[in-house]
Amino acid sequence: MARASCIIAAGVTLLATNATAQNRPCQLELLNVDRTGIYVNVAPGVTNYFAGGNVRMKCRGQNVKLFADSVASYQGTLVQFIGHFRYDDGKDQVSSDFGTYYKDNERWEARGNVDYQNLKDGSQLKGPSADYYRRIKGTRELEELYADQRPTLTIAARDSAGRLAEPYIIVGDRVRMKGEDLMWAGGTVTIDRSDLRGRGDSLQMDTGKAGAGALIRHAAIRRAAQDSFALAGKRIDFSLVRKELTGIVGRDSATLTSKDFDLSGDAISLALEARTVKQTLAWGTVQKPRALSDDYEVRGDSIAIDTPKETLKELRSFRHAWVGFKPDSAKGERDWLAGEAIVASFGQRSTPSGSKSQLQRLEATQSARSFYRIAQGDKPGARPSINYSTADKIVLTLQPGDSVKVEKVEMTGHVEGTHLQPKAPPADTTRPKKP
């Protein structure tokens, strides 16, 4: 056994995570083997060693333990661990069916039912294959892990009080990790939690001080909760605090679907607090922001929407702001209000399925303009009167319980307006007069 330890320790270096062990090689020391090993001299001074039966090893002078059914050392440059391999250093645990160590580039391969667990933060990786490159002072400052064949990565998260929270489950064709905080995934990537689902062609994430990540190409994030939403774009950036989502930004032809409206623009940003959306921003030059609901449409160079406690409270549109009401049934035209800035205020009304946001007030400032039509009785086919007005400020108050009908119009500043009354149709002179 002593001779075997010397053969294996000759130049062999393995995975180690504590600061001291990372700076020096791990010399394997054979602690137990049930069956006598076999020595094969392949050249003068070069020997291969094979042994089996409850193999136990450790890194000399370090808290690193290794277990396997059998072991094979080839010329001290390659070591294979066959059957029920397990690695344990008190901080990380790795198990697999088969393991191989290559001395030339300090690479460790795990094959078959790979299970890596970080005992420090609770993260875990499972898959059929993984390669590990240990940290080497002056050469490789951070350890690296590569896994392919669609491994599953579980990233632990913590709540605002520092307690363990629900983790993120990441799956991709390929996964790469560097150090404790950096990770990349490529090839039909998914990231899931009970209330959140993300999709993209690739994913990058820094869960450390940077607290940032991105889904790239065909990116989408869907949230399933009371304030459910679906955000899509060619790229989605997100920010994290203690691995908890605090912000999401969809870029390049972004779209957002929510219970209150559909939104589009070059970019759409969501600010989250306690896993709920408290504010939504949209902006763009190529694709101007546009919000659409059942009762109204909003446009502008930028749009801001406040939803504290998952409730729609206020919507603001800036530069070339425009709000159109529900189209009429005849020609599909909208009454509208425009200005350089528009503020829409909302309340809540009860419905059989729960509460619903109700538009209550609209205020347009800076070159405010309004266009609306007034129906002339209930006679079918009757043409409405038309009103067009300009002012420094225009305020519309909607009827309670109705997001379409205007109850009051207030205009201040330089007010001008035009009111057109439909002309009564001329009498039909071709029809004979009644006697």
Side-chain angles (χ1 to χ4, degrees):
M1 187 175 297
R3 183 184 175 193
S5 296
C6 292
I7 292 172
I8 297 174
V12 174
T13 313
L14 284 181
L15 163 66
T17 58
N18 61 70
T20 302
Q22 292 284 18
N23 295 328
R24 60 186 176 89
C26 169
Q27 292 187 329
L28 279 175
E29 181 179 342
L30 188 59
L31 302 178
N32 180 80
V33 60
D34 288 351
R35 296 185 296 276
T36 303
I38 300 174
Y39 304 91
V40 179
N41 296 316
V42 295
V46 179
T47 304
N48 295 341
Y49 173 75
F50 307 92
N54 190 24
V55 177
R56 291 179 299 174
M57 296 181 177
K58 64 174 291 188
C59 286
R60 186 174 297 166
Q62 302 174 30
N63 184 30
V64 179
K65 301 174 183 177
L66 302 120
F67 308 84
D69 289 347
S70 58
V71 65
S73 174
Y74 297 91
Q75 305 173 34
T77 61
L78 183 150
V79 180
Q80 292 180 332
F81 297 87
I82 305 164
H84 300 95
F85 169 74
R86 184 163 61 92
Y87 165 92
D88 189 340
D89 67 3
K91 295 182 179 179
D92 295 280
Q93 289 181 347
V94 182
S95 64
S96 64
D97 296 337
F98 186 87
T100 305
Y101 174 77
Y102 297 88
K103 176 192 172 186
D104 57 350
N105 59 358
E106 295 290 343
R107 184 171 89 254
W108 171 258
E109 291 182 353
R111 298 292 184 267
N113 297 306
V114 178
D115 186 348
Y116 162 81
Q117 297 187 44
N118 185 317
L119 303 180
K120 180 180 179 181
D121 65 7
S123 297
Q124 183 180 38
L125 182 140
K126 287 187 174 184
S129 173
D131 294 350
Y132 181 87
Y133 293 80
R134 76 178 191 91
R135 178 184 176 188
I136 306 171
K137 187 176 181 180
T139 301
R140 190 181 298 121
E141 296 303 321
L142 293 173
E143 61 273 14
E144 298 185 26
L145 177 70
Y146 295 85
D148 56 12
Q149 303 180 59
R150 293 196 68 77
T152 298
L153 174 63
T154 302
I155 296 184
R158 295 186 178 273
D159 60 20
S160 58
R163 297 168 298 193
L164 279 175
E166 186 180 0
Y168 298 97
I169 309 299
I170 298 172
V171 179
D173 291 350
R174 303 166 300 279
V175 172
R176 177 191 175 195
M177 302 175 68
K178 188 174 183 179
E180 295 183 356
D181 303 325
L182 303 176
M183 69 83 57
W184 297 263
T188 315
V189 178
T190 64
I191 176 169
D192 292 290
R193 195 172 60 184
S194 62
D195 64 330
L196 201 68
R197 299 184 63 194
R199 301 292 182 267
D201 288 357
S202 61
L203 167 70
Q204 61 186 43
M205 187 183 298
D206 183 344
T207 59
K209 292 183 178 180
L215 283 163
I216 303 169
R217 289 184 59 83
H218 304 101
I221 288 183
R222 179 183 296 274
R223 172 176 161 78
Q226 183 176 342
D227 64 337
S228 61
F229 65 80
L231 177 66
K234 293 183 179 178
R235 176 186 175 110
I236 294 179
D237 294 324
F238 50 88
S239 54
L240 303 149
V241 174
R242 290 183 177 177
K243 300 178 183 179
E244 184 63 52
L245 276 175
T246 57
I248 310 172
V249 182
R251 302 185 185 277
D252 200 346
S253 303
T255 60
L256 175 70
T257 302
S258 70
K259 66 176 182 178
D260 292 313
F261 53 82
D262 293 339
L263 184 62
S264 61
D266 284 351
I268 298 174
S269 171
L270 306 177
L272 286 79
E273 186 176 81
R275 298 192 180 186
T276 63
V277 180
K278 65 178 182 179
Q279 186 178 68
T280 302
L281 305 176
W283 63 93
T285 55
V286 176
Q287 183 176 352
K288 299 287 187 179
R290 177 175 178 260
L292 184 65
S293 77
D294 294 337
D295 296 329
Y296 58 87
E297 177 183 350
V298 182
R299 304 175 195 162
D301 287 1
S302 61
I303 293 175
I305 304 168
D306 295 337
T307 52
K309 297 181 179 180
E310 303 179 354
T311 302
L312 178 59
K313 289 294 185 181
E314 188 172 277
L315 183 152
R316 300 177 297 280
S317 180
F318 303 98
R319 289 186 57 82
H320 307 102
W322 182 91
V323 175
F325 291 97
K326 189 174 184 178
D328 60 30
S329 57
K331 297 182 179 181
E333 297 177 344
R334 297 179 184 268
D335 294 343
W336 52 265
L337 178 68
E340 286 302 290
I342 289 180
V343 178
S345 302
F346 296 83
Q348 297 292 308
R349 67 180 178 89
S350 298
T351 65
S353 58
S355 62
K356 182 180 179 181
S357 297
Q358 182 74 55
L359 180 62
Q360 294 180 333
R361 186 177 184 272
L362 283 169
E363 178 183 305
T365 56
Q366 304 178 46
S367 302
R369 306 173 303 282
S370 67
F371 172 86
Y372 58 91
R373 292 157 295 173
I374 302 174
Q376 302 299 304
D378 298 329
K379 187 177 180 180
R383 292 179 293 175
S385 62
I386 297 174
N387 186 284
Y388 174 79
S389 303
T390 64
D392 292 343
K393 181 169 77 171
I394 299 176
V395 178
L396 305 182
T397 302
L398 284 301
Q399 290 185 9
D402 196 315
S403 293
V404 178
K405 295 181 180 180
V406 177
E407 181 179 65
K408 182 172 64 174
V409 179
E410 300 174 79
M411 301 184 187
T412 57
H414 298 82
V415 179
E416 294 183 3
T418 301
H419 183 82
L420 301 178
Q421 193 74 17
K423 183 178 180 181
D428 189 352
T429 58
T430 61
R431 296 180 63 181
K433 296 181 178 180
K434 294 181 179 181

